[in-house]
Structures are given as C-alpha cells and as structure tokens.
Amino acid sequence: MLRAVTATGGMVTAPHHLAAQAGAAVLREGGNAIEAMIAAAATVAVVYPHHNGIGGDGFWLISAPGRPPVCIDACGASGLQVTPDFYRAAGAEAVPRCGPGAAGTVAGTVSGWQAALEVSARWGGRLPLTRLLADAIRHARQGWAVTADQAAATRRVVDDLRDVPGFAAHYLVDGAVPAPGTVMRAPALGQTLGLLAEEGLDSFYRGAIGRAVAAELQRLGSPLVSDDLARHRSVRRRPLSLSTAWGTVYNLPPPTQGLASLMILGLFERLGVAEAEGFAHVHAIVEATKLAYYVRDRHICDPSYMAVHATTFLREHLLDQYAARVDFGRALPFPYDAQEGDTVWLGAIDGEGRAVSFIQSHYHPFGSGVVLADTGVLWHNRAAAFSLDPASRRTLSPRRKPFHTLNPALAHLRDGRVMAYGTSGADGQPQTQAAVFSRHVAFGQDVQAAVNAPRWALGRGWTGPATDLKVEARLDAAVLDALRAAGHEVTPVADFDPIMGHAGAVVRHPSGLLEGAADPRGDGAVAAL
C-alpha cells in the first residue's frame, strides 16, 4: 500500500510513475513546478495514451506565494465546418464517438503548455523546452511498458476502434490487445515532440506540424481544416473560487464542471457532517452531487452561450437553499444521464511554494481512435460532448467550446497549507475531489489515507449511462446498509476499483514540508526531492 511521501525540495504526483519521475528530474535540475509539470504532462501523454495525449485538451491552475492563482483554459473549439448539417448529411443522429467524424474540435493541450511556459518565464523559469520534452521523446522512441490499465481500456474499446484509421497499427499488436508488460513505441510521435522542442509549441497550430496534422485529418474525413488550428489560442480565465471555513478553494470556470466541484464542497460544509467514513459523510456528498449536477446539466456549456454566470450558484443564499433540500433520512432522485470519459490529473509543488494542479484528456478511452500516421498524434473525440438538438444547452455550432468534465482543483487553506488535488473519472471527478478534500482538510487524514480510503461514484460507469451509486465493497457494511435504507441504489464494486478514478494530491505546509499522494487504483507515484 502506498504511503504519504514527505519532502521539502519539490514534489510531483502523477497516475503513471514515469511521468512523476520526469517532473521530479526537472525539479532536481532547478526547474520550477510549472516546468516540472510540462515534463510530466508530455511524458504521461506518451506512456498513458488511452487517457490523454497531445491530441487532446487540458486545463491548468497555477499558484505562487503572494500571487492570485492563474487559470489556463486549453480547450479547443469546434471547427468552422463542424455543423449539425455535416453530420446529418452523413446520416448521423448524433456526433459519432469514434472515427474521423469524431475529430471535430481542435486539440488544445499543447497551447496550454505554451501558456504555462509563459507564466513560468515571468516567475523565474529558465529550462529550455528541449529539456522539458526530453523524457517524453525518449519514451516515445525507446518504448514504454503497457500497464494493466491501458490493456483493460483497450479491451473495452477495441471492437469500436479496430477499423478506425491508424488505431490498430499504433495500439494493437498483430491485431490483438497488447498484454500488460508489452513494450510499445511511438516513433512518429517522438519525432513530432522533437520538432516541437526545436521549433516551439506554436508549430502544433501555426507551423509545419499544424499543417501536417490538418492535411491528414482532412484526408481521413475530419471536418477540421488548417485554419481551425491556426485560429486556436489558449485562454487565461479567472478561476472560480469558494470561500469556506477551511479556506478558499479554486476550480475551473465553464465550459468545465468546476462549478459542480465547488458547489459540492459548499453544500457539504453546510450539512455539518461531524466525522469521516460514516453514513452521513457519504450520503451528504452524494446528495450534494445530485444538486450540483442538476445545476451543471442545466447551465454549464461554452461560457459565451450561458444565460447565468457560474458565480451566481456559489452565492451563500443559493447554497443555503440547495443544502436545505438534503434529507438525511431519504435520498433525492437521480434521473440524470452519466457523463462518460476518462483523463489524467497531475500535481506539482516546488520548494518555493509554486503549485500546479493540471489535467489533460482524450475524453473517451483513446479518443476518436484516429492516429495520424505522419505525426503519430492520436486525436480526441471531445466533439461527442455536443448535441445535434438545436434546443440543447450544448448544441453544436462552429467555433464553440464543448462541455468538459475536466476540472483540476487547488485550495489555499486558512492554516497556511496549499493543496493541489484532483482525479480522473468524468462524473466521478467532483465526487472524488470532495471525498479526498473532506477527509484530509475537514477530518485530518493524511493525504494518502484520504486517497486510499473506500470510494463511491454516483452515475459512473464504463458502458453507458447509469443512475446507481457504485461503492467499493470494503466500505463498512453498516454504512452500505444505511445507504440502501435511505433509498440509494447501491452497487458494490471491487476494492480499489479503477472505475473510481486515479486521484492524487500534493500539499505544502506552512513549515515548507511537502506531502503527497498517488492512487493505488492507477499506475502512479509521488516523486520528491
């Protein structure tokens, strides 16, 4: 069992140990937390391809002593030719989840790396991009070992993706799902990363790499064109924030579900739960989740199309009203469709107190499945988050950002601690964030214990919508019985089930001591100096 890691010089946590090691190596050479995160993000994009890559989206929260947190939205919008008519002409009633038609939004994560580098330079960063991408390039060229998680994800999607252009050639072995331990290589992706290191990250959008990417996407049948990539820029936004008795918690604004994560904590605080791991703890977070998702599903989309600003729902009187709807004797109904998908969350803190909470994703496992032979880029399928229904809050139109479940979290606590935390898991993300935060901050567990403890996920599933409450079976039997008695539809799952996501956290104490955790449900580690 993993135990909390403590250090003073710097720390990186990631769901794959090679990514954590890549970030720690940068810290060891004098890099800051932002530079370490770019190294870790590039590495995890290579060695954990089922969850993320440079053909996906990303979001950043960055903190430094004496400075307000910085938020980077590196989410790509739909292309100019990506319209409902494009899909209807192909006989589709919805945006497809795989194939070239699913590759309908720009991949923004590389632009987020660039924006983060610019922040780093203003905060004393000095390491060259060639160094920051070196580990990712090496792993792409020399190979990495397939994890059990990658093998399982491949098995889940292989029937859908087998015939998608490039997928079998890059992520199957002789047409079969690779076994754990199989060494895979991505030479074309390694070459692309090498070119980005030499030419600059902007080349992905407005240089030779961007032109090659757009040309192959078009040849394969994607509606994206070169101008869509050339127009893309990441966006600096003001993070959402929630003031609590524990301190100020930050998360991402729309188009992410960061609002839901903050609402859950605001509601949980109002419900006055006195201890961890009991019925009240689980029930309060589950009921808060239902109320937060009610707001999320009715309001959150591209912020340019929202009728009500997200901060409205964090006002005290509204949180009070929603909290009053929670009955500790009876569960609220949960008639909402689950949001599917998966991702990677990573955290870093350096010795001077700069902290990063970061997330990037392909959306569904292996995204669209489309792998571009010329560049080795696996393209995401975030366009599938759009609806073709013109009455939908998330209807598809050109140059529009899709709804995102991605939301990294960061807290400045009243006792002086800084905590960067997050998880993978689509609908499970706000729920797991609340579980980890409440255990560590409200109830005093060390962060590794908070991550290890039994988890639950409302509506989370690998295969389609679900409304049940999945709970790891090692949760106390009396709590399971009490949840059922209150009306929850409880489905026990395996201990340390990957369906619960790969959570993590890094904490800087006022003394300068660093504490970190990685999830035993994943393949990660905490690497520290």
Side-chain angles (χ1 to χ4, degrees), residues 48-409:
Y48 234 36
H50 51 306
H51 288 325
N52 80 118
I54 65 173
D57 284 339
F59 296 91
W60 294 71
L61 271 177
I62 307 171
S63 172
R67 300 176 184 265
V70 173
C71 166
I72 299 171
D73 171 346
C75 159
S78 53
L80 183 62
Q81 299 177 20
V82 183
T83 66
D85 287 345
F86 171 84
Y87 294 104
R88 292 190 181 115
E93 297 181 357
V95 178
R97 294 194 173 195
C98 59
T105 59
V106 174
T109 200
V110 173
S111 70
W113 299 357
Q114 178 61 45
L117 266 182
E118 292 165 3
V119 174
S120 173
R122 292 196 295 273
W123 293 3
R126 59 180 180 80
L127 295 184
L129 187 59
T130 51
R131 171 61 193 92
L132 302 184
L133 301 189
D135 283 45
I137 294 167
R138 176 168 54 83
H139 292 305
R141 291 172 175 170
Q142 296 181 7
W144 72 95
V146 171
T147 62
D149 196 70
Q150 180 179 337
T154 309
R155 283 194 297 272
R156 289 197 301 273
V157 300
V158 64
D159 290 341
D160 292 330
L161 301 186
R162 184 185 301 277
D163 296 327
V164 172
F167 178 77
H170 286 79
Y171 294 112
L172 300 181
V173 177
D174 296 327
V177 174
T182 302
V183 175
M184 303 197 84
R185 295 177 177 83
L189 180 59
Q191 182 177 10
T192 296
L193 289 167
L195 289 172
L196 288 172
E198 295 170 6
E199 298 177 1
L201 297 172
D202 195 63
S203 180
F204 191 88
Y205 302 97
R206 286 162 286 276
I209 295 172
R211 290 189 291 273
V213 164
E216 189 166 0
L217 283 170
Q218 284 188 273
R219 287 200 305 271
L220 296 176
S222 165
L224 289 176
V225 298
S226 182
D227 186 59
D228 296 328
L229 272 67
R231 288 172 58 94
H232 172 79
R233 301 290 192 283
S234 63
V235 181
R236 287 272 297 274
R237 299 190 188 279
R238 177 177 294 179
L240 294 179
S241 63
L242 175 71
S243 179
T244 73
W246 308 297
T248 303
V249 190
Y250 299 92
N251 213 302
L252 269 290
T256 82
Q257 65 173 341
L259 171 65
S261 292
L262 293 182
M263 284 189 68
I264 292 169
L265 290 182
L267 296 173
F268 179 78
E269 180 184 19
R270 284 160 171 77
L271 294 174
V273 177
E275 62 181 4
E277 314 311 334
F279 164 78
H281 185 201
V282 180
H283 179 79
I285 291 178
V286 171
E287 297 302 279
T289 298
K290 294 174 182 177
L291 295 166
Y293 286 2
Y294 176 89
V295 172
R296 180 198 71 180
D297 292 349
R298 282 156 181 76
H299 295 278
I300 301 301
C301 62
D302 183 321
S304 300
Y305 293 81
M306 287 179 60
V308 182
H309 198 279
T311 55
T312 301
F313 300 102
L314 296 175
R315 293 176 180 171
E316 290 191 4
H317 73 281
L318 280 180
L319 290 173
D320 291 343
Q321 290 175 21
Y322 280 115
R325 295 180 59 186
V326 175
D327 182 346
F328 277 92
R330 196 68 188 165
L332 291 164
F334 186 66
Y336 317 122
D337 285 345
Q339 305 289 328
E340 297 179 59
D342 235 320
T343 181
V344 293
W345 177 87
L346 301 86
I349 295 184
D350 61 35
E352 296 183 21
R354 290 169 291 232
V356 178
S357 185
F358 170 76
I359 200 164
Q360 65 184 13
S361 175
H362 275 141
Y363 193 21
H364 295 121
F366 294 101
S368 69
V370 174
V371 186
L372 306 180
D374 293 345
T375 57
V377 176
L378 170 61
W379 210 259
H380 64 168
N381 67 333
R382 191 60 63 172
F386 286 117
S387 171
L388 299 186
D389 180 357
S392 170
R393 174 70 59 185
R394 298 166 186 163
T395 191
L396 173 65
S397 61
R399 308 283 196 229
R400 184 168 181 166
K401 285 179 176 284
F403 168 72
H404 266 275
T405 53
L406 307 185
N407 67 115

